[in-house]
Amino acid sequence: MTTSLILVLVAAFVGVAALVGGVAMLFQQDEASATEERLEVLTGTRKRGKGGSESELLLLSSPLDETRGLLDRLVEPWGGFQRFLKQADSPLTVGQLGAASLLLAGIGFVINLAMGWPWGIGVAIGAVLMTLPLVWLFFRRRFRLARFGRQLPEALELISRALRAGHSLAAGISLVAEEMPSPIADEFAQCYEEQNLGIPLEEALESMTERVPNLDLRFFVTAVILQRQTGGDLAEILDKIGRLIRERFRIWGQIQALTGEGRLSGIVLLALPPALFLVMLKLNPDYVMTLFTDPMGQQMLVGAIVMQLLGAVVIKKIITIQV
C-alpha cells in the first residue's frame, strides 16, 4: 500500500469522524436547559407565547431525562416516528439513529475508497448501510407487536378468570402486568398506572390501543367499553375473544405452511441478481463496470432495479393473505 493511499484513507477517516461528531453534537441538547425551562414554568417567570399553555403542559409532562435533539424537534410536528420508536421499544433516540445512519454511510464511503471502486458504487454502499438502523428498527417493532399478539389470548383468559373469582377489571389488568412477561406486561402496567392516577379506565384502554396497533386488542377494548355502558357477562365475552384469536392463529399457521414455497422462491429470485452482481464484480470488474460507464448499461441497470422492485411487490401480494 503506497503512502499516498494511506494518507487518503486517513484523511477520509478523519473527515467522516468529524462529520459524525459534529452531527452528534448537533443532535444533543443541554440537559440543564430543560430543567431550567421547567423551573421557569413552575415559578411563573416563563413568558407565555402563542399556544403557551399547551407547550408548558408538554414540558411539565415530559421526563427530565428525556433529551430531544435537533432531529427530534424536526419530526415532532408529525409525531409518527416517536410512536414508532415506542412501539419498537427502541433504546435509541431519533438523534442517535440519525448519527448511526450517518456513521454507517461514512463507513461505506471509506470501504469504497479503500477498494478503489467508482463513486457510484460508493454511493450505493453508503445508501444501503445508511438504511440498516431503520431496517433493524422495523424488524424490532414487528417482532414486538407479533409477540404482543401471541400473548394477548392468554392475557384475556387471565382477566376472565380474575373476573370470575370476584376481582375487578382493574385488578385483572394489574394481574396481567404482574404475571405475564414483556411486552404485554409493560403495556398493561402502563394502563393500570394511568387509571390509578385518575384517568378513566376507558381512556386508559383507548390510549393502549393507540400505542399498540393490534386489531384483537381493539376488539377487547371495544367489548370492555360496551360492557361498562350496557352491562353483560364480560368474562364470557373475553373467553370468546380469546378463542377467536387462537383460531385465527391456527388458520394463519396453515396459510404460512401453504405459502412457504412461494416465500422461499421470492427470496431466491430477489437475492439472486444482487448476489450475481457481487460475484461478477469480484471475478471480472471491467465487465460489470460497463453498467456504470456506458449509457445503455446505465439504462439497463435502472430498468433491472425497477423490475426487481415490481417483482418484490407482486410476490408480496401473492403470498400475503389476510386472516
Side-chain angles (χ1 to χ4, degrees):
M1 183 179 292
T2 62
T3 305
S4 59
L5 181 57
I6 295 177
L7 292 176
V8 170
L9 293 177
V10 171
F13 175 79
V14 172
V16 172
L19 176 63
V20 172
V23 172
M25 292 178 61
L26 192 63
F27 287 152
Q28 291 178 351
Q29 184 184 25
D30 189 7
E31 296 183 6
S33 62
T35 307
E36 292 172 358
E37 289 179 2
R38 180 171 295 191
L39 289 175
E40 289 177 359
V41 172
L42 292 175
T43 57
T45 58
R46 183 186 174 110
K47 294 182 179 180
R48 291 180 177 268
K50 184 178 181 181
S53 59
E54 182 179 355
S55 61
E56 291 174 0
L57 180 61
L58 293 175
L59 178 63
L60 291 174
S61 62
S62 61
L64 283 174
D65 58 352
E66 183 182 355
T67 59
R68 293 161 46 243
L70 176 63
L71 188 56
D72 301 76
R73 295 192 296 271
L74 288 177
V75 301
E76 185 178 1
W78 292 272
F81 200 70
Q82 291 290 346
R83 182 175 297 175
F84 193 87
L85 288 176
K86 292 181 180 179
Q87 291 172 355
D89 194 22
S90 172
L92 303 179
T93 63
V94 179
Q96 291 171 343
L97 282 173
S101 297
L102 292 177
L103 177 61
L104 291 174
I107 292 175
F109 280 111
V110 171
I111 293 176
N112 177 77
L113 187 62
M115 299 300 295
W117 293 336
W119 286 106
I121 297 180
V123 172
I125 295 176
V128 171
L129 293 179
M130 191 174 184
T131 60
L132 289 182
L134 293 178
V135 173
W136 167 80
L137 189 66
F138 172 79
F139 281 102
R140 182 183 177 92
R141 173 183 178 272
R142 183 177 180 180
F143 175 77
R144 185 172 183 269
L145 294 180
R147 187 178 181 186
F148 182 95
R150 291 192 299 268
Q151 293 173 338
L152 187 58
E154 185 179 352
L156 297 182
E157 293 175 356
L158 185 59
I159 296 176
S160 175
R161 291 193 295 268
L163 292 175
R164 286 194 170 93
H167 296 285
S168 64
L169 179 60
I173 294 175
S174 175
L175 189 63
V176 172
E178 294 174 358
E179 299 296 333
M180 296 196 64
S182 180
I184 197 168
D186 301 334
E187 298 296 337
F188 275 77
Q190 182 173 347
C191 177
Y192 180 73
E193 291 298 329
E194 288 178 355
Q195 67 90 28
N196 265 351
L197 293 175
I199 299 177
L201 183 58
E202 292 85 352
E203 295 184 10
L205 291 172
E206 286 284 349
S207 177
M208 183 167 60
T209 60
E210 294 177 359
R211 295 193 307 269
V212 183
N214 186 285
L215 183 60
D216 299 321
L217 180 64
R218 170 64 65 177
F219 289 156
F220 161 67
V221 173
T222 303
V224 170
I225 294 176
L226 291 177
Q227 188 272 340
R228 292 173 72 89
Q229 293 176 355
T230 62
D233 190 355
L234 182 59
E236 183 179 356
I237 296 174
L238 296 184
D239 285 338
K240 291 181 178 180
I241 295 177
R243 286 196 298 269
L244 175 63
I245 297 174
R246 293 186 186 278
E247 285 297 314
R248 284 181 56 192
F249 275 114
R250 184 182 64 82
I251 297 174
W252 181 79
Q254 294 178 352
I255 292 175
Q256 289 294 103
L258 294 175
T259 59
E261 181 182 357
R263 286 185 283 111
L264 182 60
S265 301
I267 293 174
V268 173
L269 292 176
L270 294 177
L272 186 59
L276 184 59
F277 172 82
L278 294 177
V279 171
M280 294 302 298
L281 182 64
K282 180 66 176 179
L283 297 179
N284 194 351
D286 296 334
Y287 180 78
V288 177
M289 286 302 104
T290 308
L291 295 174
F292 298 94
T293 58
D294 188 83
M296 180 63 70
Q298 296 174 359
Q299 296 176 6
M300 293 174 61
L301 183 61
V302 172
I305 294 175
V306 172
M307 294 179 67
Q308 279 281 102
L309 295 176
L310 292 177
V313 172
V314 172
I315 293 175
K316 181 67 175 178
K317 289 291 185 180
I318 292 175
I319 64 177
T320 301
I321 300 176
Q322 297 293 335
V323 181

